[in-house]
PDB file of all heavy atoms in Angstrom:
ATOM      1  N   LEU A 177     183.585 -37.292-171.748  1.00 89.00           N
ATOM      2  CA  LEU A 177     183.639 -35.915-171.183  1.00 89.00           C
ATOM      3  C   LEU A 177     182.429 -35.707-170.224  1.00 89.00           C
ATOM      4  O   LEU A 177     182.600 -35.151-169.157  1.00 89.00           O
ATOM      5  CB  LEU A 177     183.646 -34.876-172.340  1.00 89.00           C
ATOM      6  CG  LEU A 177     184.736 -34.873-173.270  1.00 89.00           C
ATOM      7  CD1 LEU A 177     184.505 -33.864-174.422  1.00 89.00           C
ATOM      8  CD2 LEU A 177     186.047 -34.457-172.542  1.00 89.00           C
ATOM      9  N   ILE A 178     181.276 -36.225-170.664  1.00 89.00           N
ATOM     10  CA  ILE A 178     180.098 -36.020-169.722  1.00 89.00           C
ATOM     11  C   ILE A 178     180.263 -36.924-168.545  1.00 89.00           C
ATOM     12  O   ILE A 178     179.805 -36.482-167.421  1.00 89.00           O
ATOM     13  CB  ILE A 178     178.779 -36.374-170.510  1.00 89.00           C
ATOM     14  CG1 ILE A 178     178.624 -35.471-171.736  1.00 89.00           C
ATOM     15  CG2 ILE A 178     177.586 -36.361-169.624  1.00 89.00           C
ATOM     16  CD1 ILE A 178     177.418 -35.803-172.638  1.00 89.00           C
ATOM     17  N   ALA A 179     180.814 -38.127-168.662  1.00 88.00           N
ATOM     18  CA  ALA A 179     181.063 -38.974-167.591  1.00 88.00           C
ATOM     19  C   ALA A 179     181.917 -38.308-166.500  1.00 88.00           C
ATOM     20  O   ALA A 179     181.818 -38.510-165.312  1.00 88.00           O
ATOM     21  CB  ALA A 179     181.641 -40.333-167.980  1.00 88.00           C
ATOM     22  N   GLY A 180     182.926 -37.535-166.946  1.00 89.00           N
ATOM     23  CA  GLY A 180     183.770 -36.785-165.979  1.00 89.00           C
ATOM     24  C   GLY A 180     182.992 -35.883-165.127  1.00 89.00           C
ATOM     25  O   GLY A 180     183.178 -35.754-163.927  1.00 89.00           O
ATOM     26  N   TRP A 181     182.042 -35.095-165.701  1.00 89.00           N
ATOM     27  CA  TRP A 181     181.210 -34.237-164.944  1.00 89.00           C
ATOM     28  C   TRP A 181     180.272 -35.033-164.025  1.00 89.00           C
ATOM     29  O   TRP A 181     180.069 -34.615-162.892  1.00 89.00           O
ATOM     30  CB  TRP A 181     180.307 -33.357-165.928  1.00 89.00           C
ATOM     31  CG  TRP A 181     179.314 -32.567-165.191  1.00 89.00           C
ATOM     32  CD1 TRP A 181     179.507 -31.441-164.535  1.00 89.00           C
ATOM     33  CD2 TRP A 181     177.878 -32.829-165.175  1.00 89.00           C
ATOM     34  NE1 TRP A 181     178.309 -30.989-163.977  1.00 89.00           N
ATOM     35  CE2 TRP A 181     177.329 -31.800-164.399  1.00 89.00           C
ATOM     36  CE3 TRP A 181     177.096 -33.822-165.706  1.00 89.00           C
ATOM     37  CZ2 TRP A 181     175.980 -31.774-164.113  1.00 89.00           C
ATOM     38  CZ3 TRP A 181     175.738 -33.760-165.489  1.00 89.00           C
ATOM     39  CH2 TRP A 181     175.175 -32.799-164.695  1.00 89.00           C
ATOM     40  N   VAL A 182     179.741 -36.187-164.462  1.00 88.00           N
ATOM     41  CA  VAL A 182     178.877 -36.997-163.639  1.00 88.00           C
ATOM     42  C   VAL A 182     179.645 -37.523-162.453  1.00 88.00           C
ATOM     43  O   VAL A 182     179.137 -37.527-161.300  1.00 88.00           O
ATOM     44  CB  VAL A 182     178.244 -38.098-164.433  1.00 88.00           C
ATOM     45  CG1 VAL A 182     177.497 -39.059-163.505  1.00 88.00           C
ATOM     46  CG2 VAL A 182     177.323 -37.582-165.533  1.00 88.00           C
ATOM     47  N   MET A 183     180.881 -37.901-162.606  1.00 89.00           N
ATOM     48  CA  MET A 183     181.660 -38.468-161.509  1.00 89.00           C
ATOM     49  C   MET A 183     182.042 -37.366-160.518  1.00 89.00           C
ATOM     50  O   MET A 183     182.076 -37.614-159.326  1.00 89.00           O
ATOM     51  CB  MET A 183     183.010 -39.108-162.019  1.00 89.00           C
ATOM     52  CG  MET A 183     182.772 -40.393-162.742  1.00 89.00           C
ATOM     53  SD  MET A 183     184.335 -41.208-163.135  1.00 89.00           S
ATOM     54  CE  MET A 183     184.883 -40.134-164.480  1.00 89.00           C
ATOM     55  N   ALA A 184     182.242 -36.165-160.937  1.00 87.00           N
ATOM     56  CA  ALA A 184     182.477 -35.029-160.065  1.00 87.00           C
ATOM     57  C   ALA A 184     181.285 -34.729-159.163  1.00 87.00           C
ATOM     58  O   ALA A 184     181.427 -34.264-158.063  1.00 87.00           O
ATOM     59  CB  ALA A 184     182.882 -33.770-160.871  1.00 87.00           C
ATOM     60  N   GLU A 185     180.101 -35.044-159.659  1.00 84.00           N
ATOM     61  CA  GLU A 185     178.839 -34.901-158.873  1.00 84.00           C
ATOM     62  C   GLU A 185     178.301 -36.257-158.440  1.00 84.00           C
ATOM     63  O   GLU A 185     177.084 -36.420-158.377  1.00 84.00           O
ATOM     64  CB  GLU A 185     177.806 -34.104-159.739  1.00 84.00           C
ATOM     65  CG  GLU A 185     178.292 -32.712-160.225  1.00 84.00           C
ATOM     66  CD  GLU A 185     178.469 -31.738-159.030  1.00 84.00           C
ATOM     67  OE1 GLU A 185     177.836 -31.932-158.039  1.00 84.00           O
ATOM     68  OE2 GLU A 185     179.289 -30.825-159.273  1.00 84.00           O
ATOM     69  N   GLY A 186     179.123 -37.188-158.137  1.00 82.00           N
ATOM     70  CA  GLY A 186     178.738 -38.484-157.871  1.00 82.00           C
ATOM     71  C   GLY A 186     177.803 -38.690-156.665  1.00 82.00           C
ATOM     72  O   GLY A 186     176.814 -39.418-156.651  1.00 82.00           O
ATOM     73  N   ALA A 187     178.090 -37.984-155.563  1.00 82.00           N
ATOM     74  CA  ALA A 187     177.225 -38.052-154.410  1.00 82.00           C
ATOM     75  C   ALA A 187     175.819 -37.632-154.651  1.00 82.00           C
ATOM     76  O   ALA A 187     174.849 -38.237-154.292  1.00 82.00           O
ATOM     77  CB  ALA A 187     177.891 -37.309-153.228  1.00 82.00           C
ATOM     78  N   ALA A 188     175.727 -36.446-155.344  1.00 86.00           N
ATOM     79  CA  ALA A 188     174.386 -35.940-155.708  1.00 86.00           C
ATOM     80  C   ALA A 188     173.674 -36.891-156.655  1.00 86.00           C
ATOM     81  O   ALA A 188     172.462 -37.150-156.526  1.00 86.00           O
ATOM     82  CB  ALA A 188     174.523 -34.544-156.284  1.00 86.00           C
ATOM     83  N   GLY A 189     174.395 -37.421-157.598  1.00 85.00           N
ATOM     84  CA  GLY A 189     173.780 -38.441-158.548  1.00 85.00           C
ATOM     85  C   GLY A 189     173.347 -39.652-157.846  1.00 85.00           C
ATOM     86  O   GLY A 189     172.245 -40.191-158.174  1.00 85.00           O
ATOM     87  N   ARG A 190     174.082 -40.113-156.798  1.00 86.00           N
ATOM     88  CA  ARG A 190     173.593 -41.280-156.104  1.00 86.00           C
ATOM     89  C   ARG A 190     172.285 -40.992-155.278  1.00 86.00           C
ATOM     90  O   ARG A 190     171.370 -41.772-155.347  1.00 86.00           O
ATOM     91  CB  ARG A 190     174.690 -41.621-155.112  1.00 86.00           C
ATOM     92  CG  ARG A 190     174.304 -42.684-154.041  1.00 86.00           C
ATOM     93  CD  ARG A 190     174.371 -44.064-154.609  1.00 86.00           C
ATOM     94  NE  ARG A 190     173.890 -45.102-153.638  1.00 86.00           N
ATOM     95  CZ  ARG A 190     174.126 -46.390-153.752  1.00 86.00           C
ATOM     96  NH1 ARG A 190     174.817 -46.812-154.826  1.00 86.00           N
ATOM     97  NH2 ARG A 190     173.695 -47.194-152.838  1.00 86.00           N
ATOM     98  N   ARG A 191     172.166 -39.762-154.763  1.00 89.00           N
ATOM     99  CA  ARG A 191     170.958 -39.395-154.043  1.00 89.00           C
ATOM    100  C   ARG A 191     169.722 -39.353-155.044  1.00 89.00           C
ATOM    101  O   ARG A 191     168.671 -39.792-154.639  1.00 89.00           O
ATOM    102  CB  ARG A 191     171.136 -38.142-153.316  1.00 89.00           C
ATOM    103  CG  ARG A 191     172.097 -38.215-152.092  1.00 89.00           C
ATOM    104  CD  ARG A 191     171.988 -36.944-151.191  1.00 89.00           C
ATOM    105  NE  ARG A 191     172.402 -35.752-151.955  1.00 89.00           N
ATOM    106  CZ  ARG A 191     173.635 -35.342-151.977  1.00 89.00           C
ATOM    107  NH1 ARG A 191     174.588 -35.960-151.280  1.00 89.00           N
ATOM    108  NH2 ARG A 191     173.962 -34.233-152.600  1.00 89.00           N
ATOM    109  N   VAL A 192     169.986 -38.821-156.157  1.00 88.00           N
ATOM    110  CA  VAL A 192     168.893 -38.728-157.131  1.00 88.00           C
ATOM    111  C   VAL A 192     168.469 -40.057-157.608  1.00 88.00           C
ATOM    112  O   VAL A 192     167.302 -40.364-157.672  1.00 88.00           O
ATOM    113  CB  VAL A 192     169.366 -37.882-158.371  1.00 88.00           C
ATOM    114  CG1 VAL A 192     168.328 -37.920-159.443  1.00 88.00           C
ATOM    115  CG2 VAL A 192     169.564 -36.397-157.957  1.00 88.00           C
ATOM    116  N   ALA A 193     169.417 -40.934-157.890  1.00 88.00           N
ATOM    117  CA  ALA A 193     169.112 -42.331-158.272  1.00 88.00           C
ATOM    118  C   ALA A 193     168.352 -43.081-157.192  1.00 88.00           C
ATOM    119  O   ALA A 193     167.368 -43.825-157.487  1.00 88.00           O
ATOM    120  CB  ALA A 193     170.389 -43.101-158.597  1.00 88.00           C
ATOM    121  N   GLU A 194     168.729 -42.951-155.957  1.00 88.00           N
ATOM    122  CA  GLU A 194     167.983 -43.580-154.877  1.00 88.00           C
ATOM    123  C   GLU A 194     166.595 -42.987-154.703  1.00 88.00           C
ATOM    124  O   GLU A 194     165.715 -43.789-154.434  1.00 88.00           O
ATOM    125  CB  GLU A 194     168.795 -43.468-153.611  1.00 88.00           C
ATOM    126  CG  GLU A 194     170.027 -44.243-153.546  1.00 88.00           C
ATOM    127  CD  GLU A 194     170.756 -44.228-152.204  1.00 88.00           C
ATOM    128  OE1 GLU A 194     170.369 -43.414-151.338  1.00 88.00           O
ATOM    129  OE2 GLU A 194     171.757 -44.908-151.991  1.00 88.00           O
ATOM    130  N   ALA A 195     166.473 -41.689-154.898  1.00 89.00           N
ATOM    131  CA  ALA A 195     165.105 -41.071-154.775  1.00 89.00           C
ATOM    132  C   ALA A 195     164.254 -41.652-155.838  1.00 89.00           C
ATOM    133  O   ALA A 195     162.985 -41.976-155.628  1.00 89.00           O
ATOM    134  CB  ALA A 195     165.224 -39.591-154.824  1.00 89.00           C
ATOM    135  N   ILE A 196     164.716 -41.747-157.131  1.00 88.00           N
ATOM    136  CA  ILE A 196     163.891 -42.266-158.200  1.00 88.00           C
ATOM    137  C   ILE A 196     163.511 -43.732-157.930  1.00 88.00           C
ATOM    138  O   ILE A 196     162.379 -44.143-158.090  1.00 88.00           O
ATOM    139  CB  ILE A 196     164.631 -42.081-159.525  1.00 88.00           C
ATOM    140  CG1 ILE A 196     164.864 -40.608-159.827  1.00 88.00           C
ATOM    141  CG2 ILE A 196     163.868 -42.772-160.676  1.00 88.00           C
ATOM    142  CD1 ILE A 196     165.682 -40.342-161.085  1.00 88.00           C
ATOM    143  N   ALA A 197     164.500 -44.482-157.558  1.00 86.00           N
ATOM    144  CA  ALA A 197     164.215 -45.917-157.311  1.00 86.00           C
ATOM    145  C   ALA A 197     163.224 -46.055-156.115  1.00 86.00           C
ATOM    146  O   ALA A 197     162.456 -47.010-156.166  1.00 86.00           O
ATOM    147  CB  ALA A 197     165.575 -46.667-157.039  1.00 86.00           C
ATOM    148  N   SER A 198     163.376 -45.246-155.095  1.00 88.00           N
ATOM    149  CA  SER A 198     162.415 -45.362-153.993  1.00 88.00           C
ATOM    150  C   SER A 198     160.964 -45.017-154.416  1.00 88.00           C
ATOM    151  O   SER A 198     160.058 -45.600-153.950  1.00 88.00           O
ATOM    152  CB  SER A 198     162.871 -44.436-152.845  1.00 88.00           C
ATOM    153  OG  SER A 198     164.167 -44.781-152.378  1.00 88.00           O
ATOM    154  N   ARG A 199     160.868 -44.061-155.351  1.00 87.00           N
ATOM    155  CA  ARG A 199     159.474 -43.739-155.821  1.00 87.00           C
ATOM    156  C   ARG A 199     158.997 -44.917-156.720  1.00 87.00           C
ATOM    157  O   ARG A 199     157.807 -45.193-156.669  1.00 87.00           O
ATOM    158  CB  ARG A 199     159.566 -42.463-156.626  1.00 87.00           C
ATOM    159  CG  ARG A 199     159.814 -41.202-155.741  1.00 87.00           C
ATOM    160  CD  ARG A 199     158.636 -40.885-154.917  1.00 87.00           C
ATOM    161  NE  ARG A 199     157.459 -40.477-155.722  1.00 87.00           N
ATOM    162  CZ  ARG A 199     156.263 -40.209-155.251  1.00 87.00           C
ATOM    163  NH1 ARG A 199     156.024 -40.393-153.947  1.00 87.00           N
ATOM    164  NH2 ARG A 199     155.304 -39.876-156.029  1.00 87.00           N
ATOM    165  N   LEU A 200     159.883 -45.503-157.491  1.00 84.00           N
ATOM    166  CA  LEU A 200     159.425 -46.583-158.407  1.00 84.00           C
ATOM    167  C   LEU A 200     159.052 -47.820-157.604  1.00 84.00           C
ATOM    168  O   LEU A 200     158.123 -48.536-157.974  1.00 84.00           O
ATOM    169  CB  LEU A 200     160.533 -46.979-159.396  1.00 84.00           C
ATOM    170  CG  LEU A 200     160.777 -45.869-160.465  1.00 84.00           C
ATOM    171  CD1 LEU A 200     161.918 -46.326-161.311  1.00 84.00           C
ATOM    172  CD2 LEU A 200     159.477 -45.702-161.359  1.00 84.00           C
ATOM    173  N   PHE A 201     159.872 -48.095-156.552  1.00 81.00           N
ATOM    174  CA  PHE A 201     159.618 -49.412-155.789  1.00 81.00           C
ATOM    175  C   PHE A 201     159.068 -49.081-154.409  1.00 81.00           C
ATOM    176  O   PHE A 201     157.872 -48.974-154.252  1.00 81.00           O
ATOM    177  CB  PHE A 201     160.957 -50.165-155.676  1.00 81.00           C
ATOM    178  CG  PHE A 201     161.544 -50.495-157.076  1.00 81.00           C
ATOM    179  CD1 PHE A 201     162.641 -49.778-157.496  1.00 81.00           C
ATOM    180  CD2 PHE A 201     160.960 -51.421-157.929  1.00 81.00           C
ATOM    181  CE1 PHE A 201     163.187 -49.934-158.726  1.00 81.00           C
ATOM    182  CE2 PHE A 201     161.527 -51.639-159.180  1.00 81.00           C
ATOM    183  CZ  PHE A 201     162.655 -50.955-159.571  1.00 81.00           C
ATOM    184  N   ASN A 202     160.011 -48.888-153.442  1.00 80.00           N
ATOM    185  CA  ASN A 202     159.570 -48.420-152.130  1.00 80.00           C
ATOM    186  C   ASN A 202     160.834 -47.915-151.449  1.00 80.00           C
ATOM    187  O   ASN A 202     161.964 -48.239-151.892  1.00 80.00           O
ATOM    188  CB  ASN A 202     158.916 -49.539-151.289  1.00 80.00           C
ATOM    189  CG  ASN A 202     159.714 -50.718-151.114  1.00 80.00           C
ATOM    190  OD1 ASN A 202     160.792 -50.719-150.506  1.00 80.00           O
ATOM    191  ND2 ASN A 202     159.278 -51.921-151.537  1.00 80.00           N
ATOM    192  N   PRO A 203     160.688 -47.156-150.366  1.00 83.00           N
ATOM    193  CA  PRO A 203     161.899 -46.582-149.754  1.00 83.00           C
ATOM    194  C   PRO A 203     162.939 -47.618-149.285  1.00 83.00           C
ATOM    195  O   PRO A 203     164.117 -47.317-149.265  1.00 83.00           O
ATOM    196  CB  PRO A 203     161.264 -45.835-148.559  1.00 83.00           C
ATOM    197  CG  PRO A 203     159.926 -45.427-148.903  1.00 83.00           C
ATOM    198  CD  PRO A 203     159.502 -46.649-149.797  1.00 83.00           C
ATOM    199  N   ALA A 204     162.493 -48.787-148.902  1.00 81.00           N
ATOM    200  CA  ALA A 204     163.429 -49.839-148.441  1.00 81.00           C
ATOM    201  C   ALA A 204     164.121 -50.504-149.570  1.00 81.00           C
ATOM    202  O   ALA A 204     165.327 -50.909-149.507  1.00 81.00           O
ATOM    203  CB  ALA A 204     162.707 -50.847-147.521  1.00 81.00           C
ATOM    204  N   LEU A 205     163.396 -50.719-150.713  1.00 83.00           N
ATOM    205  CA  LEU A 205     163.932 -51.401-151.808  1.00 83.00           C
ATOM    206  C   LEU A 205     164.741 -50.509-152.823  1.00 83.00           C
ATOM    207  O   LEU A 205     165.561 -51.054-153.530  1.00 83.00           O
ATOM    208  CB  LEU A 205     162.837 -52.129-152.580  1.00 83.00           C
ATOM    209  CG  LEU A 205     163.211 -53.226-153.574  1.00 83.00           C
ATOM    210  CD1 LEU A 205     164.019 -54.292-152.969  1.00 83.00           C
ATOM    211  CD2 LEU A 205     161.955 -53.728-154.238  1.00 83.00           C
ATOM    212  N   GLY A 206     164.521 -49.283-152.795  1.00 83.00           N
ATOM    213  CA  GLY A 206     165.164 -48.354-153.710  1.00 83.00           C
ATOM    214  C   GLY A 206     166.679 -48.451-153.682  1.00 83.00           C
ATOM    215  O   GLY A 206     167.314 -48.685-154.741  1.00 83.00           O
ATOM    216  N   PRO A 207     167.324 -48.223-152.515  1.00 86.00           N
ATOM    217  CA  PRO A 207     168.818 -48.271-152.452  1.00 86.00           C
ATOM    218  C   PRO A 207     169.335 -49.674-152.939  1.00 86.00           C
ATOM    219  O   PRO A 207     170.430 -49.711-153.522  1.00 86.00           O
ATOM    220  CB  PRO A 207     169.074 -47.980-151.033  1.00 86.00           C
ATOM    221  CG  PRO A 207     167.984 -47.221-150.472  1.00 86.00           C
ATOM    222  CD  PRO A 207     166.786 -47.740-151.186  1.00 86.00           C
ATOM    223  N   GLN A 208     168.664 -50.772-152.640  1.00 85.00           N
ATOM    224  CA  GLN A 208     169.098 -52.084-153.033  1.00 85.00           C
ATOM    225  C   GLN A 208     169.084 -52.167-154.555  1.00 85.00           C
ATOM    226  O   GLN A 208     169.976 -52.728-155.138  1.00 85.00           O
ATOM    227  CB  GLN A 208     168.170 -53.139-152.437  1.00 85.00           C
ATOM    228  CG  GLN A 208     168.169 -53.184-150.927  1.00 85.00           C
ATOM    229  CD  GLN A 208     167.248 -54.182-150.349  1.00 85.00           C
ATOM    230  OE1 GLN A 208     166.844 -55.185-151.066  1.00 85.00           O
ATOM    231  NE2 GLN A 208     166.859 -54.059-149.149  1.00 85.00           N
ATOM    232  N   MET A 209     168.089 -51.623-155.238  1.00 86.00           N
ATOM    233  CA  MET A 209     167.970 -51.687-156.691  1.00 86.00           C
ATOM    234  C   MET A 209     169.179 -50.799-157.298  1.00 86.00           C
ATOM    235  O   MET A 209     169.716 -51.158-158.312  1.00 86.00           O
ATOM    236  CB  MET A 209     166.633 -51.174-157.134  1.00 86.00           C
ATOM    237  CG  MET A 209     165.534 -52.055-156.882  1.00 86.00           C
ATOM    238  SD  MET A 209     165.561 -53.706-157.715  1.00 86.00           S
ATOM    239  CE  MET A 209     166.162 -54.731-156.343  1.00 86.00           C
ATOM    240  N   VAL A 210     169.432 -49.662-156.691  1.00 87.00           N
ATOM    241  CA  VAL A 210     170.530 -48.856-157.181  1.00 87.00           C
ATOM    242  C   VAL A 210     171.906 -49.623-157.113  1.00 87.00           C
ATOM    243  O   VAL A 210     172.711 -49.659-158.018  1.00 87.00           O
ATOM    244  CB  VAL A 210     170.617 -47.548-156.402  1.00 87.00           C
ATOM    245  CG1 VAL A 210     171.833 -46.772-156.790  1.00 87.00           C
ATOM    246  CG2 VAL A 210     169.397 -46.658-156.707  1.00 87.00           C
ATOM    247  N   ASP A 211     172.120 -50.292-155.948  1.00 86.00           N
ATOM    248  CA  ASP A 211     173.340 -51.089-155.722  1.00 86.00           C
ATOM    249  C   ASP A 211     173.353 -52.192-156.788  1.00 86.00           C
ATOM    250  O   ASP A 211     174.451 -52.528-157.294  1.00 86.00           O
ATOM    251  CB  ASP A 211     173.352 -51.647-154.353  1.00 86.00           C
ATOM    252  CG  ASP A 211     173.596 -50.544-153.249  1.00 86.00           C
ATOM    253  OD1 ASP A 211     174.156 -49.494-153.642  1.00 86.00           O
ATOM    254  OD2 ASP A 211     173.207 -50.753-152.071  1.00 86.00           O
ATOM    255  N   LEU A 212     172.243 -52.897-157.018  1.00 85.00           N
ATOM    256  CA  LEU A 212     172.209 -53.991-158.021  1.00 85.00           C
ATOM    257  C   LEU A 212     172.583 -53.457-159.413  1.00 85.00           C
ATOM    258  O   LEU A 212     173.358 -54.085-160.114  1.00 85.00           O
ATOM    259  CB  LEU A 212     170.812 -54.624-157.935  1.00 85.00           C
ATOM    260  CG  LEU A 212     170.642 -55.788-158.906  1.00 85.00           C
ATOM    261  CD1 LEU A 212     171.592 -56.914-158.633  1.00 85.00           C
ATOM    262  CD2 LEU A 212     169.159 -56.244-158.845  1.00 85.00           C
ATOM    263  N   CYS A 213     171.995 -52.369-159.809  1.00 85.00           N
ATOM    264  CA  CYS A 213     172.249 -51.809-161.125  1.00 85.00           C
ATOM    265  C   CYS A 213     173.756 -51.403-161.225  1.00 85.00           C
ATOM    266  O   CYS A 213     174.369 -51.651-162.278  1.00 85.00           O
ATOM    267  CB  CYS A 213     171.337 -50.588-161.416  1.00 85.00           C
ATOM    268  SG  CYS A 213     169.596 -50.985-161.592  1.00 85.00           S
ATOM    269  N   THR A 214     174.250 -50.809-160.205  1.00 86.00           N
ATOM    270  CA  THR A 214     175.683 -50.338-160.203  1.00 86.00           C
ATOM    271  C   THR A 214     176.529 -51.562-160.302  1.00 86.00           C
ATOM    272  O   THR A 214     177.501 -51.551-161.123  1.00 86.00           O
ATOM    273  CB  THR A 214     175.963 -49.550-158.913  1.00 86.00           C
ATOM    274  OG1 THR A 214     175.109 -48.460-158.838  1.00 86.00           O
ATOM    275  CG2 THR A 214     177.399 -49.091-158.987  1.00 86.00           C
TER     276      THR A 214
END
Side-chain angles (χ1 to χ4, degrees):
L177 295 175
I178 299 174
W181 172 74
V182 174
M183 287 186 292
E185 303 293 335
R190 170 80 184 194
R191 290 193 296 269
V192 171
E194 289 184 353
I196 295 174
S198 298
R199 290 288 294 175
L200 290 175
F201 305 105
N202 59 60
L205 193 59
Q208 299 179 18
M209 292 295 103
V210 173
D211 291 336
L212 179 61
C213 295
T214 301

